[in-house]
Amino acid sequence: MENTGSVFNAAQAWIRRRASAFKLFGLGVIALLMLIPIGMVNGTRDERERRFQSAVEDVTRVWGKDETLPGPVLVVPYHYQVHEEVWVESGGMRHKEAQSRTLSAEAYFLPKEMTTSGAIEMSVRKRGIYAADVFTAALTVRGRFARPDFAFTGVENAQPEWGRAWMCVSISDVRRVREASVTWATQHAAVEPWNGAQGWPAGLRSAAPIPEGSGELEFTMALEIDGSGSLMLVPLAEKTTVRLESRWPAPSFCGGYLPTRREVGAGGFSAEWLIGKFAREFPSHWTSLRSVGAPKYGQLEAAAFGVKLAPAVSAYRSIERATKYGLLFVALIFGAFYGFELVCRMRLNALNYLLIGGAICLFFLGLLATAELLPFGAAYAIAAGASTALIAGYSWALLKSGRRAVVVGTLLGAIYGYLFLVLGLEDFALLTGTGALFAIVAVLMWLSRRSVANGYTEGPAPL
């Protein structure tokens, strides 16, 4: 019996000497267990985000989606004579006879210069509790075409049909055009739908009155169009200038060319693109007789540039990032409580940490629920405040001290504030989060430097 008692006492002494290690190991296990409910919250976020995307799809399908505008292009029909010898039969004899045929085709010309200026007005359309950001763009396009020269067609005596010339512009979703007008110099021209050609999507067309012997052709086109997501333009002219402005504070410039000048602030943005002829990857002209040379629509899309008018990081993306930092949340808060144990020479059991972890998981669920109704910052403040109040109130009863509960609440508020800052730092989030882990480990190492195997008898005095 004495041997058994001595073994038992030795085991107890061995465990006491390693109490801190067992404590930390247990906290690590509980922290990892917290990833299960956090993962369930993330699954709920996926389902809610799918519902949000479905609602946005319903709104934008009716209002308008991403808009791409290649054009305008000047189209001039022409005809020409083809002389050939054909076999004919006359009086039972076959012989060759010279004949002439008249064929027709269309020649396409790109502008020499084009300047587009536009204002983009943002608005919100709702489907239930979900909101979709949409825009209405008012564009004014001014440009000029050089006098069409048909020498490139390779046919002799090409006869342009000036009275049938017309100008077209493709629009990815022409049904969303509110208003459109075209003016040649001072002469207004009617605008009508165009079914597209040579693989280009449908759009608008307008008669182009070209008097014989005239020089360059100047035009002005005004266009008002609805859309969502992005507004993209194609640099078809030898010299393309685009100026866009909006009160949208979070633009994302994209496409084949970036702005040469841009200003972005809380009050909106303005941007200007300058694209020369050496950057243009399309021929200046082509004909309907030759498929070679005519730019494919895929080439136009690849060269398009413009601006995306959607939040850089949606609320659901921010919540996803927050759940990815879930283990960091748990580690920081558990670390704060463990440090409190060391400072106050108190002990919290596994149930206490499980309940605290449950309150942390409720923070993520509350953040998801409120972010669907409020801006992300306000939703974060409400969820963090509720979680802090819940844990601080529990600490008041657990630690039997209002002053200690205030300290716990202050620590939690600081942790939630710090993690909100981490979520806002897209480029430096990993570095900042890693720094926080290093800091908390360093603090715990400092607090536990004088702990002994039989408890915290040499720790700091309790609060």
Side-chain angles (χ1 to χ4, degrees), residues 49-206:
E49 185 175 14
R50 286 193 295 269
R51 293 185 61 179
F52 167 74
Q53 295 294 348
S54 177
V56 170
E57 181 70 20
D58 289 341
V59 172
T60 56
R61 184 175 60 250
V62 177
W63 182 269
K65 297 186 178 183
D66 301 300
E67 293 290 1
T68 302
L69 285 73
V73 179
L74 180 64
V75 185
V76 182
Y78 67 97
H79 61 269
Y80 58 96
Q81 297 288 326
V82 175
H83 304 285
E84 57 186 359
E85 291 184 342
V86 298
W87 289 98
V88 296
E89 187 173 344
S90 177
M93 300 291 292
R94 296 181 72 248
H95 62 279
K96 286 186 175 180
E97 183 177 296
Q99 291 186 355
S100 297
R101 289 190 301 154
T102 299
L103 301 180
S104 60
E106 291 178 336
Y108 298 81
F109 301 91
L110 297 184
K112 294 286 290 183
E113 186 177 345
M114 187 169 65
T115 300
T116 301
S117 58
I120 305 172
E121 186 70 28
M122 300 297 297
S123 59
V124 175
R125 294 295 181 271
K126 287 192 173 183
R127 179 64 58 89
I129 64 172
Y130 302 110
D133 295 305
V134 299
F135 67 80
T136 298
L139 304 176
T140 301
V141 183
R142 293 181 174 87
R144 59 185 177 87
F145 292 95
R147 175 71 180 179
D149 185 353
F150 290 81
F152 79 96
T153 60
V155 298
E156 297 180 359
N157 300 319
Q159 300 297 317
E161 301 178 20
W162 301 113
R164 296 179 54 208
W166 49 283
M167 184 180 71
C168 64
V169 54
S170 289
I171 301 174
S172 56
D173 191 356
V174 68
R175 298 172 301 170
R176 308 311 168 198
V177 175
R178 289 191 178 188
E179 296 181 5
S181 64
V182 174
T183 303
W184 294 91
T186 59
Q187 182 178 352
H188 294 281
V191 180
E192 59 186 18
W194 174 53
N195 293 329
Q198 296 188 335
W200 291 31
L204 303 174
R205 61 175 288 171
S206 171

Side-chain angles (χ1 to χ4, degrees), residues 285-373:
H285 39 61
W286 65 91
T287 75
S288 58
L289 296 178
R290 302 175 185 174
S291 58
V292 178
K296 305 298 182 183
Y297 188 65
Q299 294 177 270
L300 303 180
E301 289 184 312
F305 64 91
V307 58
K308 287 185 178 179
L309 299 159
V313 180
S314 69
Y316 293 102
R317 295 296 98 188
S318 297
I319 295 171
E320 180 185 22
R321 292 178 59 199
T323 56
K324 288 181 178 179
Y325 286 101
L327 187 59
L328 177 62
F329 275 65
V330 174
L332 288 175
I333 295 175
F334 277 15
F337 272 92
Y338 184 65
F340 205 88
E341 286 190 65
L342 295 176
V343 171
C344 299
R345 298 204 298 264
M346 301 186 65
R347 289 187 181 276
L348 302 179
N349 57 41
L351 178 61
N352 301 141
Y353 279 100
L354 283 172
L355 292 175
I356 293 169
I360 298 172
C361 297
L362 285 177
F363 158 73
F364 293 105
L365 190 60
L367 178 61
L368 174 61
T370 52
E372 291 187 325
L373 304 174

Side-chain angles (χ1 to χ4, degrees), residues 1-12:
M1 294 294 292
E2 292 181 1
N3 290 335
T4 303
S6 62
V7 170
F8 180 74
N9 291 334
Q12 280 188 319

